[in-house]
Amino acid sequence: MAVGETDLKTLLSTLEPILHADSFVFLTIPNTAVSQVRPDLLALQPQLLFQEREGTTIIITREQAVSHGFTDYVFPCRMISLSVHSSLEAVGLIAAISAQLRDAGVSANVVSGFYHDHIFVPEGKEEVAMQAIEGMARGS
């Protein structure tokens, strides 16, 4: 049973993107260091923690990164959240958005949460990305 919307046409017509004010960054810490950092992970207020073989990826605000001494972050970006409650089983939504952003010359890193999808785009490209996504919704 799918939770959330699965119909691609409905999803595209109800995207309603929200641009967040904060700037975000990606960083990684070695998995061996996670146990040492673990008590501080909640203090970082991460948007994402994802453990990979090579290390744990953390997405946090640039402000949090700097204030906690992380200077080796990458990809300063802005987060755009899609307010539509998309199903984790929906087919084609991310592909359609990725194609639209590709055509607009905007790279994107997408994170799917339980309720919404979140797109991280390079700083300085957020308005182009918002226009592209809003255009998709109007064109559906």
Side-chain angles (χ1 to χ4, degrees), residues 9 30 40 101-102 138-139:
K9 186 172 182 153
D40 295 330
L101 292 175
R102 177 202 62 217
R138 285 191 304 272

Side-chain angles (χ1 to χ4, degrees), residues 26-31 50 52 54-58 70 72-73:
F26 284 60
L27 58 97
T28 186
I29 57 174
N31 288 329
F50 194 89
E52 299 177 281
E54 300 85 353
T56 298
T57 299
I58 304 171
F70 293 104
D72 56 347
Y73 58 79

Side-chain angles (χ1 to χ4, degrees), residues 16-59:
E16 296 183 34
I18 299 165
L19 177 62
H20 296 268
D22 290 319
S23 291
F24 292 86
V25 296
F26 284 60
L27 58 97
T28 186
I29 57 174
N31 288 329
T32 55
V34 170
S35 60
Q36 297 165 350
V37 177
R38 184 163 306 210
D40 295 330
L41 285 178
L42 291 179
L44 294 174
Q45 300 175 349
Q47 290 297 307
L48 173 84
L49 293 171
F50 194 89
Q51 194 166 13
E52 299 177 281
R53 181 173 32 99
E54 300 85 353
T56 298
T57 299
I58 304 171
I59 303 175

